Amino acid sequence: MSVGEVTNADAALPPLRVGLLGLGTVGGGVVNVLTRNAEDIARRSGRRIDVVHASARNLGAPRICPLNGILLTTNPMDVVENPNVDVIIEVMGGMTPASMLIRRALELGKPVITANKALIAHEGNELFALAQAKGTVVAFEAAVAGGIPIIKAIREGLAGNRIEWLAGIINGTGNFILTAMRDEGRSFNDVLAEAQKLGYAEADPTFDVEGIDAAHKLSILAAIAFGMPLKFDSVYTEGISALKTEDVRYARELGYQIKHLGFARRHENGVEMRVHPTLIPERRLLANVDGVKNAVLVWGDAVGPTLYYGAGAGADPTASAVVADLVDVARTLTADPNHRVPHLAVVPDQVSDLPILSMDDIQTGYYLRLTVLDQPGVLANIARTLADFGINIEAMIQKEASDETLHLPIVLLTHPMREAIMNDAIESLQALDEVCAPIVRLRVESLVS
Ligand code: NDP
Ligand code: HSE
């Protein structure tokens, strides 16, 4: 047999018949990728993969993919219960009716592939248990970081490591907005509208800009990295909608980029999980991840730092992850369920319920912007207040007063400090007579160890 020749492997096994719930950005991308790369995919799976039945709300709506040969319905349950469908792909989004449909598919013993991070973050623990009980799987590579195979990398490629921490830009829409605001000076709402048009944003885009989507993804990554249950409710979350362009500018003057970062670290006494705008030194690779691109930095004790980069959203990149799951399912369909890669990387009875640290207990560097009256002694008062709390100033810039109010901005970077102490220090700074507007506080991560 010559290289590139299609084997008759696909003839040996009947085609894998896919039921597709959703024909929007991701669903359309899945049909396109399966159509375009059918030959390679069949060679990798050992059989052909055909979408045979699909659902959408409006069957008359224009689609980005061909639909020939696919039975269409507005009732997704018909797809799930179709006896001629072997595997279900859920790319509808939302909790209802997606949850009920996935549960029904698992009850029927059908493997489910989903891109729905909200559903996995909220209900993954139950869904995995149900899949396990029914001898089947829920695959969710596309739920985190779009096309980047980060779940496979952590769950399989890094299986020999104790993972200490991970940090990621894991929302494409947010990074697209921050990059365009910084580089093109465009308004937040204008760039968000473009991200929606390109199919990057969630149905409710506040999930993107308020960090909820990134928190969904971080809870999934942390569960897999640390072998613990999904704990979305414990992720500290701050969005980017309140970020000011002057802070982006001052951060750059200090040698930093501001990114919307998800961060999870394992400590002796628990795990920290947080999503917030973060200053990253501009020489770090993560600081240079722009546009809709995502990247995840994972620190394993054996391998050290590893970085995974690629498109974080969009039809084809997300379809790449969905179809990879589909190929995995095709390869393992007949394997003993107990010998498949476990959902959360460790075998189910080894998942351990680690405590989650409160934000008071995390330790990080800080960026503070104070708006102060232009009068003698103000700098000394600020420095003394910080010193009283044992906080070291690492860098400082002071700007000229920009109007007749004689208010001027002072920007400080501090060495790492416990958040509880920094909160008290900010309260004391805010009480100084010279401080005349709410203090802006952002966190800083050096991302070195
Ligand atoms: P879209 O809104 O583009 O597509 C959703 C599809 O589901 C549409 O075809 C819609 O029908 C159908 N649908 C929605 N609700 C129902 C319902 N109640 N009954 C029947 N059909 C329904 O979403 P995306 O493709 O962007 O996202 C899908 C999922 O993938 C979400 O969970 C999202 O978070 C996730 N995801 C998205 C990424 C992206 O880049 N867009 C990347 C990674 C994950 P109709 O078209 O007729 O309205
Ligand atoms: N809305 C999400 C994002 C889609 O922009 O990252 C990919 O998960």
Side-chain angles (χ1 to χ4, degrees), residues 21-27 55-59 61 63 74 76 90-94 96-97 115-117 142 146 199-202 213 312-315 318:
L21 311 182
L23 279 170
T25 303
V26 183
S55 65
R57 279 175 300 212
N58 175 5
L59 297 185
R63 300 292 166 193
T74 52
E90 184 277 306
V91 283
M92 302 163 66
T96 311
N116 192 335
K117 49 273 164 137
Y200 300 156
E202 294 303 299
D213 178 73
T318 311

PDB file of all heavy atoms in Angstrom, residues 21-27 55-59 61 63 74 76 90-94 96-97 115-117 142 146 199-202 213 312-315 318, ligand 1:
ATOM      1  N   LEU A  21     -26.003  18.044  17.483  1.00  0.00           N
ATOM      2  CA  LEU A  21     -26.974  18.966  18.089  1.00  0.00           C
ATOM      3  C   LEU A  21     -26.422  20.372  17.968  1.00  0.00           C
ATOM      4  O   LEU A  21     -25.535  20.763  18.718  1.00  0.00           O
ATOM      5  CB  LEU A  21     -27.195  18.610  19.566  1.00  0.00           C
ATOM      6  CG  LEU A  21     -27.477  17.136  19.880  1.00  0.00           C
ATOM      7  CD1 LEU A  21     -27.718  16.946  21.375  1.00  0.00           C
ATOM      8  CD2 LEU A  21     -28.672  16.635  19.076  1.00  0.00           C
ATOM      9  N   GLY A  22     -26.889  21.116  16.977  1.00  0.00           N
ATOM     10  CA  GLY A  22     -26.414  22.483  16.739  1.00  0.00           C
ATOM     11  C   GLY A  22     -25.696  22.587  15.411  1.00  0.00           C
ATOM     12  O   GLY A  22     -24.809  21.775  15.106  1.00  0.00           O
ATOM     13  N   LEU A  23     -26.099  23.585  14.641  1.00  0.00           N
ATOM     14  CA  LEU A  23     -25.494  23.786  13.312  1.00  0.00           C
ATOM     15  C   LEU A  23     -25.015  25.226  13.166  1.00  0.00           C
ATOM     16  O   LEU A  23     -25.064  25.820  12.100  1.00  0.00           O
ATOM     17  CB  LEU A  23     -26.539  23.492  12.220  1.00  0.00           C
ATOM     18  CG  LEU A  23     -26.750  22.018  11.886  1.00  0.00           C
ATOM     19  CD1 LEU A  23     -27.975  21.848  10.981  1.00  0.00           C
ATOM     20  CD2 LEU A  23     -25.517  21.428  11.214  1.00  0.00           C
ATOM     21  N   GLY A  24     -24.563  25.805  14.298  1.00  0.00           N
ATOM     22  CA  GLY A  24     -24.079  27.189  14.267  1.00  0.00           C
ATOM     23  C   GLY A  24     -22.596  27.231  13.952  1.00  0.00           C
ATOM     24  O   GLY A  24     -22.099  26.463  13.115  1.00  0.00           O
ATOM     25  N   THR A  25     -21.874  28.121  14.625  1.00  0.00           N
ATOM     26  CA  THR A  25     -20.439  28.292  14.349  1.00  0.00           C
ATOM     27  C   THR A  25     -19.698  26.961  14.479  1.00  0.00           C
ATOM     28  O   THR A  25     -19.017  26.525  13.540  1.00  0.00           O
ATOM     29  CB  THR A  25     -19.831  29.323  15.337  1.00  0.00           C
ATOM     30  OG1 THR A  25     -20.559  30.544  15.221  1.00  0.00           O
ATOM     31  CG2 THR A  25     -18.363  29.553  15.055  1.00  0.00           C
ATOM     32  N   VAL A  26     -19.821  26.325  15.635  1.00  0.00           N
ATOM     33  CA  VAL A  26     -19.031  25.100  15.863  1.00  0.00           C
ATOM     34  C   VAL A  26     -19.614  23.921  15.077  1.00  0.00           C
ATOM     35  O   VAL A  26     -18.862  23.175  14.421  1.00  0.00           O
ATOM     36  CB  VAL A  26     -18.949  24.770  17.376  1.00  0.00           C
ATOM     37  CG1 VAL A  26     -18.078  23.541  17.595  1.00  0.00           C
ATOM     38  CG2 VAL A  26     -18.381  25.955  18.159  1.00  0.00           C
ATOM     39  N   GLY A  27     -20.933  23.771  15.121  1.00  0.00           N
ATOM     40  CA  GLY A  27     -21.551  22.659  14.380  1.00  0.00           C
ATOM     41  C   GLY A  27     -21.228  22.743  12.899  1.00  0.00           C
ATOM     42  O   GLY A  27     -20.876  21.729  12.263  1.00  0.00           O
ATOM     43  N   SER A  55     -29.673  18.745  14.360  1.00  0.00           N
ATOM     44  CA  SER A  55     -30.802  19.593  14.779  1.00  0.00           C
ATOM     45  C   SER A  55     -30.374  21.052  14.874  1.00  0.00           C
ATOM     46  O   SER A  55     -29.217  21.358  15.155  1.00  0.00           O
ATOM     47  CB  SER A  55     -31.351  19.133  16.138  1.00  0.00           C
ATOM     48  OG  SER A  55     -30.377  19.332  17.138  1.00  0.00           O
ATOM     49  N   ALA A  56     -31.335  21.927  14.628  1.00  0.00           N
ATOM     50  CA  ALA A  56     -31.164  23.373  14.824  1.00  0.00           C
ATOM     51  C   ALA A  56     -32.545  23.937  15.106  1.00  0.00           C
ATOM     52  O   ALA A  56     -33.548  23.249  14.907  1.00  0.00           O
ATOM     53  CB  ALA A  56     -30.552  24.020  13.592  1.00  0.00           C
ATOM     54  N   ARG A  57     -32.572  25.198  15.554  1.00  0.00           N
ATOM     55  CA  ARG A  57     -33.883  25.798  15.837  1.00  0.00           C
ATOM     56  C   ARG A  57     -34.610  26.176  14.561  1.00  0.00           C
ATOM     57  O   ARG A  57     -35.788  25.947  14.393  1.00  0.00           O
ATOM     58  CB  ARG A  57     -33.714  27.050  16.713  1.00  0.00           C
ATOM     59  CG  ARG A  57     -33.537  26.750  18.161  1.00  0.00           C
ATOM     60  CD  ARG A  57     -33.263  28.006  18.930  1.00  0.00           C
ATOM     61  NE  ARG A  57     -32.056  28.662  18.475  1.00  0.00           N
ATOM     62  CZ  ARG A  57     -31.252  29.371  19.240  1.00  0.00           C
ATOM     63  NH1 ARG A  57     -31.536  29.528  20.505  1.00  0.00           N
ATOM     64  NH2 ARG A  57     -30.166  29.933  18.758  1.00  0.00           N
ATOM     65  N   ASN A  58     -33.844  26.782  13.659  1.00  0.00           N
ATOM     66  CA  ASN A  58     -34.446  27.321  12.440  1.00  0.00           C
ATOM     67  C   ASN A  58     -33.830  26.626  11.227  1.00  0.00           C
ATOM     68  O   ASN A  58     -32.701  26.939  10.834  1.00  0.00           O
ATOM     69  CB  ASN A  58     -34.186  28.837  12.404  1.00  0.00           C
ATOM     70  CG  ASN A  58     -34.675  29.464  11.121  1.00  0.00           C
ATOM     71  OD1 ASN A  58     -35.293  28.798  10.285  1.00  0.00           O
ATOM     72  ND2 ASN A  58     -34.405  30.745  10.960  1.00  0.00           N
ATOM     73  N   LEU A  59     -34.571  25.694  10.650  1.00  0.00           N
ATOM     74  CA  LEU A  59     -33.997  24.890   9.558  1.00  0.00           C
ATOM     75  C   LEU A  59     -33.836  25.694   8.280  1.00  0.00           C
ATOM     76  O   LEU A  59     -33.110  25.297   7.373  1.00  0.00           O
ATOM     77  CB  LEU A  59     -34.864  23.647   9.302  1.00  0.00           C
ATOM     78  CG  LEU A  59     -34.948  22.664  10.472  1.00  0.00           C
ATOM     79  CD1 LEU A  59     -35.717  21.408  10.070  1.00  0.00           C
ATOM     80  CD2 LEU A  59     -33.568  22.270  10.982  1.00  0.00           C
ATOM     81  N   ALA A  61     -32.501  28.738   8.215  1.00  0.00           N
ATOM     82  CA  ALA A  61     -31.416  29.725   8.356  1.00  0.00           C
ATOM     83  C   ALA A  61     -30.230  29.346   7.467  1.00  0.00           C
ATOM     84  O   ALA A  61     -29.981  28.154   7.241  1.00  0.00           O
ATOM     85  CB  ALA A  61     -30.977  29.778   9.813  1.00  0.00           C
ATOM     86  N   ARG A  63     -26.495  28.420   6.440  1.00  0.00           N
ATOM     87  CA  ARG A  63     -25.483  27.652   7.191  1.00  0.00           C
ATOM     88  C   ARG A  63     -24.110  27.834   6.555  1.00  0.00           C
ATOM     89  O   ARG A  63     -24.001  28.096   5.360  1.00  0.00           O
ATOM     90  CB  ARG A  63     -25.844  26.160   7.201  1.00  0.00           C
ATOM     91  CG  ARG A  63     -27.187  25.857   7.844  1.00  0.00           C
ATOM     92  CD  ARG A  63     -27.176  26.129   9.337  1.00  0.00           C
ATOM     93  NE  ARG A  63     -28.532  26.168   9.901  1.00  0.00           N
ATOM     94  CZ  ARG A  63     -28.805  26.625  11.104  1.00  0.00           C
ATOM     95  NH1 ARG A  63     -27.845  27.080  11.897  1.00  0.00           N
ATOM     96  NH2 ARG A  63     -30.043  26.650  11.549  1.00  0.00           N
ATOM     97  N   THR A  74     -35.902  19.945  14.009  1.00  0.00           N
ATOM     98  CA  THR A  74     -35.857  20.989  15.035  1.00  0.00           C
ATOM     99  C   THR A  74     -35.919  20.367  16.431  1.00  0.00           C
ATOM    100  O   THR A  74     -35.816  21.073  17.428  1.00  0.00           O
ATOM    101  CB  THR A  74     -37.048  21.971  14.891  1.00  0.00           C
ATOM    102  OG1 THR A  74     -38.246  21.206  14.846  1.00  0.00           O
ATOM    103  CG2 THR A  74     -36.914  22.831  13.643  1.00  0.00           C
ATOM    104  N   PRO A  76     -34.022  18.156  18.940  1.00  0.00           N
ATOM    105  CA  PRO A  76     -32.740  17.490  19.202  1.00  0.00           C
ATOM    106  C   PRO A  76     -32.892  16.105  19.836  1.00  0.00           C
ATOM    107  O   PRO A  76     -32.035  15.240  19.658  1.00  0.00           O
ATOM    108  CB  PRO A  76     -32.002  18.462  20.130  1.00  0.00           C
ATOM    109  CG  PRO A  76     -33.000  19.462  20.590  1.00  0.00           C
ATOM    110  CD  PRO A  76     -34.135  19.459  19.629  1.00  0.00           C
ATOM    111  N   GLU A  90     -22.696  17.577  21.029  1.00  0.00           N
ATOM    112  CA  GLU A  90     -23.567  18.673  21.523  1.00  0.00           C
ATOM    113  C   GLU A  90     -22.820  19.993  21.345  1.00  0.00           C
ATOM    114  O   GLU A  90     -21.835  20.260  22.039  1.00  0.00           O
ATOM    115  CB  GLU A  90     -23.921  18.441  22.996  1.00  0.00           C
ATOM    116  CG  GLU A  90     -24.894  19.467  23.553  1.00  0.00           C
ATOM    117  CD  GLU A  90     -24.212  20.756  24.011  1.00  0.00           C
ATOM    118  OE1 GLU A  90     -23.267  20.676  24.827  1.00  0.00           O
ATOM    119  OE2 GLU A  90     -24.622  21.838  23.530  1.00  0.00           O
ATOM    120  N   VAL A  91     -23.286  20.796  20.388  1.00  0.00           N
ATOM    121  CA  VAL A  91     -22.715  22.126  20.168  1.00  0.00           C
ATOM    122  C   VAL A  91     -23.858  23.144  20.030  1.00  0.00           C
ATOM    123  O   VAL A  91     -23.849  23.989  19.142  1.00  0.00           O
ATOM    124  CB  VAL A  91     -21.750  22.150  18.950  1.00  0.00           C
ATOM    125  CG1 VAL A  91     -20.419  21.522  19.317  1.00  0.00           C
ATOM    126  CG2 VAL A  91     -22.335  21.451  17.748  1.00  0.00           C
ATOM    127  N   MET A  92     -24.822  23.011  20.940  1.00  0.00           N
ATOM    128  CA  MET A  92     -25.933  23.961  21.015  1.00  0.00           C
ATOM    129  C   MET A  92     -25.591  25.081  21.987  1.00  0.00           C
ATOM    130  O   MET A  92     -25.958  26.224  21.806  1.00  0.00           O
ATOM    131  CB  MET A  92     -27.198  23.270  21.559  1.00  0.00           C
ATOM    132  CG  MET A  92     -27.675  22.098  20.766  1.00  0.00           C
ATOM    133  SD  MET A  92     -28.828  21.097  21.746  1.00  0.00           S
ATOM    134  CE  MET A  92     -30.168  22.217  21.906  1.00  0.00           C
ATOM    135  N   GLY A  93     -24.922  24.698  23.077  1.00  0.00           N
ATOM    136  CA  GLY A  93     -24.613  25.644  24.146  1.00  0.00           C
ATOM    137  C   GLY A  93     -25.733  25.748  25.146  1.00  0.00           C
ATOM    138  O   GLY A  93     -26.836  25.212  24.947  1.00  0.00           O
ATOM    139  N   GLY A  94     -25.465  26.423  26.285  1.00  0.00           N
ATOM    140  CA  GLY A  94     -26.462  26.621  27.334  1.00  0.00           C
ATOM    141  C   GLY A  94     -26.666  25.373  28.179  1.00  0.00           C
ATOM    142  O   GLY A  94     -26.138  24.297  27.879  1.00  0.00           O
ATOM    143  N   THR A  96     -29.938  24.309  29.364  1.00  0.00           N
ATOM    144  CA  THR A  96     -31.194  23.634  29.015  1.00  0.00           C
ATOM    145  C   THR A  96     -31.500  23.909  27.551  1.00  0.00           C
ATOM    146  O   THR A  96     -31.425  25.074  27.147  1.00  0.00           O
ATOM    147  CB  THR A  96     -32.359  24.192  29.861  1.00  0.00           C
ATOM    148  OG1 THR A  96     -31.944  24.204  31.220  1.00  0.00           O
ATOM    149  CG2 THR A  96     -33.603  23.374  29.699  1.00  0.00           C
ATOM    150  N   PRO A  97     -31.781  22.930  26.758  1.00  0.00           N
ATOM    151  CA  PRO A  97     -31.987  21.518  27.072  1.00  0.00           C
ATOM    152  C   PRO A  97     -30.724  20.656  26.921  1.00  0.00           C
ATOM    153  O   PRO A  97     -30.801  19.433  26.959  1.00  0.00           O
ATOM    154  CB  PRO A  97     -33.019  21.101  26.023  1.00  0.00           C
ATOM    155  CG  PRO A  97     -32.681  21.935  24.822  1.00  0.00           C
ATOM    156  CD  PRO A  97     -32.159  23.238  25.356  1.00  0.00           C
ATOM    157  N   ALA A 115     -18.705  20.856  23.362  1.00  0.00           N
ATOM    158  CA  ALA A 115     -17.837  22.040  23.455  1.00  0.00           C
ATOM    159  C   ALA A 115     -18.344  22.962  24.554  1.00  0.00           C
ATOM    160  O   ALA A 115     -17.869  24.082  24.693  1.00  0.00           O
ATOM    161  CB  ALA A 115     -17.841  22.782  22.111  1.00  0.00           C
ATOM    162  N   ASN A 116     -19.305  22.461  25.340  1.00  0.00           N
ATOM    163  CA  ASN A 116     -20.079  23.291  26.259  1.00  0.00           C
ATOM    164  C   ASN A 116     -19.391  23.374  27.633  1.00  0.00           C
ATOM    165  O   ASN A 116     -19.675  22.599  28.541  1.00  0.00           O
ATOM    166  CB  ASN A 116     -21.472  22.656  26.372  1.00  0.00           C
ATOM    167  CG  ASN A 116     -22.466  23.545  27.039  1.00  0.00           C
ATOM    168  OD1 ASN A 116     -22.099  24.409  27.819  1.00  0.00           O
ATOM    169  ND2 ASN A 116     -23.733  23.326  26.737  1.00  0.00           N
ATOM    170  N   LYS A 117     -18.493  24.356  27.768  1.00  0.00           N
ATOM    171  CA  LYS A 117     -17.721  24.463  29.020  1.00  0.00           C
ATOM    172  C   LYS A 117     -18.588  24.838  30.206  1.00  0.00           C
ATOM    173  O   LYS A 117     -18.316  24.442  31.338  1.00  0.00           O
ATOM    174  CB  LYS A 117     -16.545  25.431  28.889  1.00  0.00           C
ATOM    175  CG  LYS A 117     -16.842  26.786  28.283  1.00  0.00           C
ATOM    176  CD  LYS A 117     -16.749  26.733  26.784  1.00  0.00           C
ATOM    177  CE  LYS A 117     -17.410  27.937  26.152  1.00  0.00           C
ATOM    178  NZ  LYS A 117     -16.669  28.507  25.087  1.00  0.00           N
ATOM    179  N   ALA A 142     -12.904  20.538  23.182  1.00  0.00           N
ATOM    180  CA  ALA A 142     -13.229  21.868  22.642  1.00  0.00           C
ATOM    181  C   ALA A 142     -13.745  22.830  23.702  1.00  0.00           C
ATOM    182  O   ALA A 142     -13.899  24.023  23.435  1.00  0.00           O
ATOM    183  CB  ALA A 142     -14.274  21.734  21.538  1.00  0.00           C
ATOM    184  N   GLY A 146     -10.449  26.555  22.782  1.00  0.00           N
ATOM    185  CA  GLY A 146     -10.762  26.348  21.365  1.00  0.00           C
ATOM    186  C   GLY A 146     -10.005  25.193  20.744  1.00  0.00           C
ATOM    187  O   GLY A 146     -10.185  24.035  21.122  1.00  0.00           O
ATOM    188  N   GLY A 199     -18.285  35.049  15.316  1.00  0.00           N
ATOM    189  CA  GLY A 199     -18.698  33.783  15.954  1.00  0.00           C
ATOM    190  C   GLY A 199     -17.835  33.400  17.141  1.00  0.00           C
ATOM    191  O   GLY A 199     -17.883  32.273  17.610  1.00  0.00           O
ATOM    192  N   TYR A 200     -17.038  34.350  17.691  1.00  0.00           N
ATOM    193  CA  TYR A 200     -16.160  34.023  18.827  1.00  0.00           C
ATOM    194  C   TYR A 200     -16.901  34.080  20.160  1.00  0.00           C
ATOM    195  O   TYR A 200     -16.590  33.332  21.081  1.00  0.00           O
ATOM    196  CB  TYR A 200     -14.998  35.023  18.932  1.00  0.00           C
ATOM    197  CG  TYR A 200     -14.085  35.109  17.737  1.00  0.00           C
ATOM    198  CD1 TYR A 200     -13.335  36.267  17.508  1.00  0.00           C
ATOM    199  CD2 TYR A 200     -13.941  34.043  16.845  1.00  0.00           C
ATOM    200  CE1 TYR A 200     -12.470  36.361  16.428  1.00  0.00           C
ATOM    201  CE2 TYR A 200     -13.089  34.142  15.765  1.00  0.00           C
ATOM    202  CZ  TYR A 200     -12.350  35.307  15.556  1.00  0.00           C
ATOM    203  OH  TYR A 200     -11.510  35.412  14.495  1.00  0.00           O
ATOM    204  N   ALA A 201     -17.842  35.023  20.260  1.00  0.00           N
ATOM    205  CA  ALA A 201     -18.426  35.322  21.575  1.00  0.00           C
ATOM    206  C   ALA A 201     -19.479  34.284  21.967  1.00  0.00           C
ATOM    207  O   ALA A 201     -20.064  33.601  21.121  1.00  0.00           O
ATOM    208  CB  ALA A 201     -19.037  36.716  21.550  1.00  0.00           C
ATOM    209  N   GLU A 202     -19.714  34.195  23.265  1.00  0.00           N
ATOM    210  CA  GLU A 202     -20.792  33.348  23.781  1.00  0.00           C
ATOM    211  C   GLU A 202     -22.144  33.976  23.429  1.00  0.00           C
ATOM    212  O   GLU A 202     -22.237  35.175  23.147  1.00  0.00           O
ATOM    213  CB  GLU A 202     -20.670  33.223  25.302  1.00  0.00           C
ATOM    214  CG  GLU A 202     -19.435  32.486  25.757  1.00  0.00           C
ATOM    215  CD  GLU A 202     -19.345  31.099  25.156  1.00  0.00           C
ATOM    216  OE1 GLU A 202     -20.229  30.278  25.381  1.00  0.00           O
ATOM    217  OE2 GLU A 202     -18.368  30.830  24.440  1.00  0.00           O
ATOM    218  N   ASP A 213     -16.765  32.783  31.392  1.00  0.00           N
ATOM    219  CA  ASP A 213     -16.328  31.723  30.476  1.00  0.00           C
ATOM    220  C   ASP A 213     -14.920  31.246  30.846  1.00  0.00           C
ATOM    221  O   ASP A 213     -14.654  30.031  30.891  1.00  0.00           O
ATOM    222  CB  ASP A 213     -16.360  32.270  29.037  1.00  0.00           C
ATOM    223  CG  ASP A 213     -15.885  31.247  28.023  1.00  0.00           C
ATOM    224  OD1 ASP A 213     -16.620  30.288  27.756  1.00  0.00           O
ATOM    225  OD2 ASP A 213     -14.745  31.400  27.511  1.00  0.00           O
ATOM    226  N   GLY A 312      -8.245  30.373  19.980  1.00  0.00           N
ATOM    227  CA  GLY A 312      -9.080  30.107  21.145  1.00  0.00           C
ATOM    228  C   GLY A 312     -10.560  30.037  20.836  1.00  0.00           C
ATOM    229  O   GLY A 312     -11.363  29.713  21.703  1.00  0.00           O
ATOM    230  N   ALA A 313     -10.951  30.362  19.616  1.00  0.00           N
ATOM    231  CA  ALA A 313     -12.371  30.336  19.252  1.00  0.00           C
ATOM    232  C   ALA A 313     -12.469  30.352  17.729  1.00  0.00           C
ATOM    233  O   ALA A 313     -11.463  30.516  17.028  1.00  0.00           O
ATOM    234  CB  ALA A 313     -13.100  31.541  19.841  1.00  0.00           C
ATOM    235  N   GLY A 314     -13.689  30.160  17.237  1.00  0.00           N
ATOM    236  CA  GLY A 314     -13.911  30.177  15.787  1.00  0.00           C
ATOM    237  C   GLY A 314     -14.303  28.806  15.272  1.00  0.00           C
ATOM    238  O   GLY A 314     -14.065  27.785  15.931  1.00  0.00           O
ATOM    239  N   ALA A 315     -14.921  28.775  14.110  1.00  0.00           N
ATOM    240  CA  ALA A 315     -15.544  27.551  13.589  1.00  0.00           C
ATOM    241  C   ALA A 315     -14.523  26.421  13.382  1.00  0.00           C
ATOM    242  O   ALA A 315     -14.628  25.357  14.004  1.00  0.00           O
ATOM    243  CB  ALA A 315     -16.276  27.872  12.284  1.00  0.00           C
ATOM    244  N   THR A 318     -12.277  25.299  16.559  1.00  0.00           N
ATOM    245  CA  THR A 318     -13.030  24.546  17.568  1.00  0.00           C
ATOM    246  C   THR A 318     -13.414  23.178  17.014  1.00  0.00           C
ATOM    247  O   THR A 318     -13.355  22.163  17.721  1.00  0.00           O
ATOM    248  CB  THR A 318     -14.269  25.337  18.024  1.00  0.00           C
ATOM    249  OG1 THR A 318     -13.855  26.671  18.340  1.00  0.00           O
ATOM    250  CG2 THR A 318     -14.904  24.714  19.239  1.00  0.00           C
TER     251      THR A 318
HETATM  252  P1  NDP B   1     -24.170  29.102  17.868  1.00  0.00           P
HETATM  253  O1  NDP B   1     -25.137  30.005  18.511  1.00  0.00           O
HETATM  254  O2  NDP B   1     -23.449  29.584  16.671  1.00  0.00           O
HETATM  255  O3  NDP B   1     -24.897  27.736  17.464  1.00  0.00           O
HETATM  256  C1  NDP B   1     -25.807  27.081  18.321  1.00  0.00           C
HETATM  257  C2  NDP B   1     -26.603  26.080  17.492  1.00  0.00           C
HETATM  258  O4  NDP B   1     -27.471  25.349  18.332  1.00  0.00           O
HETATM  259  C3  NDP B   1     -27.471  26.731  16.429  1.00  0.00           C
HETATM  260  O5  NDP B   1     -27.487  25.968  15.256  1.00  0.00           O
HETATM  261  C4  NDP B   1     -28.855  26.763  17.070  1.00  0.00           C
HETATM  262  O6  NDP B   1     -29.904  26.704  16.104  1.00  0.00           O
HETATM  263  C5  NDP B   1     -28.823  25.495  17.873  1.00  0.00           C
HETATM  264  N1  NDP B   1     -29.656  25.584  19.071  1.00  0.00           N
HETATM  265  C6  NDP B   1     -29.492  26.406  20.120  1.00  0.00           C
HETATM  266  N2  NDP B   1     -30.455  26.211  21.027  1.00  0.00           N
HETATM  267  C7  NDP B   1     -31.265  25.227  20.530  1.00  0.00           C
HETATM  268  C8  NDP B   1     -32.429  24.582  20.986  1.00  0.00           C
HETATM  269  N3  NDP B   1     -32.984  24.908  22.152  1.00  0.00           N
HETATM  270  N4  NDP B   1     -32.980  23.606  20.214  1.00  0.00           N
HETATM  271  C9  NDP B   1     -32.419  23.277  19.034  1.00  0.00           C
HETATM  272  N5  NDP B   1     -31.302  23.849  18.549  1.00  0.00           N
HETATM  273  C10 NDP B   1     -30.730  24.823  19.280  1.00  0.00           C
HETATM  274  O7  NDP B   1     -23.144  28.656  19.004  1.00  0.00           O
HETATM  275  P2  NDP B   1     -21.633  28.206  18.817  1.00  0.00           P
HETATM  276  O8  NDP B   1     -21.530  27.230  17.726  1.00  0.00           O
HETATM  277  O9  NDP B   1     -20.767  29.398  18.809  1.00  0.00           O
HETATM  278  O10 NDP B   1     -21.358  27.508  20.231  1.00  0.00           O
HETATM  279  C11 NDP B   1     -21.854  26.227  20.517  1.00  0.00           C
HETATM  280  C12 NDP B   1     -21.196  25.697  21.782  1.00  0.00           C
HETATM  281  O11 NDP B   1     -19.789  25.627  21.578  1.00  0.00           O
HETATM  282  C13 NDP B   1     -21.372  26.579  23.025  1.00  0.00           C
HETATM  283  O12 NDP B   1     -21.440  25.752  24.150  1.00  0.00           O
HETATM  284  C14 NDP B   1     -20.093  27.402  23.071  1.00  0.00           C
HETATM  285  O13 NDP B   1     -19.758  27.844  24.365  1.00  0.00           O
HETATM  286  C15 NDP B   1     -19.094  26.378  22.579  1.00  0.00           C
HETATM  287  N6  NDP B   1     -17.875  26.897  21.995  1.00  0.00           N
HETATM  288  C16 NDP B   1     -17.945  27.865  21.025  1.00  0.00           C
HETATM  289  C17 NDP B   1     -16.805  28.314  20.415  1.00  0.00           C
HETATM  290  C18 NDP B   1     -16.844  29.356  19.338  1.00  0.00           C
HETATM  291  O14 NDP B   1     -15.765  29.776  18.884  1.00  0.00           O
HETATM  292  N7  NDP B   1     -18.002  29.790  18.910  1.00  0.00           N
HETATM  293  C19 NDP B   1     -15.489  27.786  20.788  1.00  0.00           C
HETATM  294  C20 NDP B   1     -15.531  26.756  21.817  1.00  0.00           C
HETATM  295  C21 NDP B   1     -16.680  26.354  22.380  1.00  0.00           C
HETATM  296  P3  NDP B   1     -30.149  27.911  15.075  1.00  0.00           P
HETATM  297  O15 NDP B   1     -28.883  28.005  14.248  1.00  0.00           O
HETATM  298  O16 NDP B   1     -31.306  27.517  14.236  1.00  0.00           O
HETATM  299  O17 NDP B   1     -30.358  29.129  15.907  1.00  0.00           O
END
